[in-house]
Amino acid sequence: MKAVKALLMSAAMMSVCVAKTVDVGGRTLEIPAPEGFVELTEDMSALYAATKKIVDSDNDTLAYYIPSEMADAAKAGEFVPAVKYFVLKAQGNTKFVTMGNSEFASLAAGVKSANQMVTDELKMVLGDSFDPAAVVELKGIAVLPPHRETETTLANSMLIRQTALGGKGEGQVMSATKTYANIGGKVMLLAAYGAEQDSEWTRTAVGAWTDAVLAGNPNPPVGDSSGGSLKEEADGVGFKSAVIGAIVGALVVFVFSSLKSRRKA
């Protein structure tokens, strides 16, 4: 295990030249770019401007990453939508909260429960045969069971109908993998998007990126991160429980609103 950790830290150090320093609720984190990708910056004006139209009221979007081979064209002002791309976000409700492993476990359990609620509703409509391709065609989104669960991560893939990064129109079926990661006590969301047939790539690529980010930052607190007097601990637990509830609630609202909008279409 130590050898693996050392190897990952070495990889993270090799990527330091393209690492992004972000401040999340007063904590500085180092985020290396995914392998083979570069951060989308203001000098890539056309594509960069398109991302500013994407609104996520529940999370702070910190960076988009596009394939390295697209960088020169993007800097020249060319507008070419990216089918494969990554997104880095900080969970908005937890920016000023430090999450220990036990609290992250509560968050992960809530997210899994919310995803199961969506699956159960779909089965009521479609029956027990859960075909993701059929579901996304009918409802616009199909959330798959988690494929990675650790003390610091929870990852699941999905099929979703949307445009490529910077694309226009009604969109196409795309694959995506989203990872909730407890980076140094801060809940971050790392996501990879690709074409419909790129589902396995999104899982592998965002998994490798998550490992590099974890290796390049301090570990989160072990157990519960609350400290101080009994009253402070009680207040902290209550506040964090409310935060976890808000995250899960926002996820339920997002997915169910997506289902309802598709039902009306």
Side-chain angles (χ1 to χ4, degrees), residues 92-136:
N93 291 318
T94 66
K95 279 191 302 184
F96 299 101
V97 177
T98 298
M99 286 279 184
N101 286 341
S102 62
E103 294 143 341
F104 184 79
S106 296
L107 168 62
V111 171
K112 288 171 62 180
S113 178
N115 287 342
Q116 188 60 49
M117 287 173 61
V118 175
T119 300
D120 291 344
E121 199 222 349
L122 288 170
K123 285 184 177 180
M124 289 176 63
V125 177
L126 302 172
D128 290 335
S129 57
F130 185 79
D131 179 6
V135 171
V136 76

Side-chain angles (χ1 to χ4, degrees), residues 179-204:
T179 300
Y180 288 86
N182 191 2
I183 310 294
K186 298 297 181 180
V187 179
M188 307 294 288
L189 290 97
L190 296 84
Y193 292 82
E196 183 176 2
Q197 66 271 20
D198 292 328
S199 184
E200 183 59 36
W201 173 83
T202 66
R203 285 191 287 271
T204 301

Side-chain angles (χ1 to χ4, degrees), residues 16-225:
V16 70
C17 60
V18 290
K20 177 182 180 68
T21 301
V22 298
D23 182 282
V24 181
R27 180 159 301 175
T28 299
L29 302 176
E30 294 293 328
I31 312 294
E35 184 178 358
F37 285 70
V38 296
E39 183 181 356
L40 181 63
T41 52
E42 289 189 51
D43 57 348
M44 304 174 187
S45 55
L47 192 53
Y48 184 84
T51 65
K52 293 304 175 182
K53 299 177 182 178
I54 303 172
V55 178
D56 183 347
S57 58
D58 296 312
N59 305 296
D60 292 349
T61 302
L62 303 177
Y64 287 90
Y65 298 89
I66 62 173
S68 299
E69 61 267 22
M70 290 182 59
D72 289 341
K75 288 180 179 179
E78 293 184 26
F79 188 82
V80 182
V83 175
K84 285 186 176 181
Y85 63 96
F86 291 83
V87 185
L88 171 70
K89 299 184 180 187
Q91 213 300 317
N93 291 318
T94 66
K95 279 191 302 184
F96 299 101
V97 177
T98 298
M99 286 279 184
N101 286 341
S102 62
E103 294 143 341
F104 184 79
S106 296
L107 168 62
V111 171
K112 288 171 62 180
S113 178
N115 287 342
Q116 188 60 49
M117 287 173 61
V118 175
T119 300
D120 291 344
E121 199 222 349
L122 288 170
K123 285 184 177 180
M124 289 176 63
V125 177
L126 302 172
D128 290 335
S129 57
F130 185 79
D131 179 6
V135 171
V136 76
E137 196 62 35
L138 181 65
K139 299 296 185 180
I141 182 172
V143 181
L144 304 180
H147 58 268
R148 172 173 175 166
E149 297 181 62
T150 70
E151 285 188 338
T152 54
T153 62
L154 176 71
N156 65 277
S157 298
M158 65 186 74
L159 292 175
I160 187 168
R161 184 173 293 282
Q162 66 176 43
T163 62
L165 184 63
K168 299 179 180 179
E170 294 185 359
Q172 58 195 355
V173 176
M174 295 185 66
S175 56
T177 295
K178 176 190 290 184
T179 300
Y180 288 86
N182 191 2
I183 310 294
K186 298 297 181 180
V187 179
M188 307 294 288
L189 290 97
L190 296 84
Y193 292 82
E196 183 176 2
Q197 66 271 20
D198 292 328
S199 184
E200 183 59 36
W201 173 83
T202 66
R203 285 191 287 271
T204 301
V206 82
W209 184 32
T210 301
D211 289 339
V213 174
L214 285 167
N217 289 281
N219 293 326
V222 176
D224 193 315
S225 65

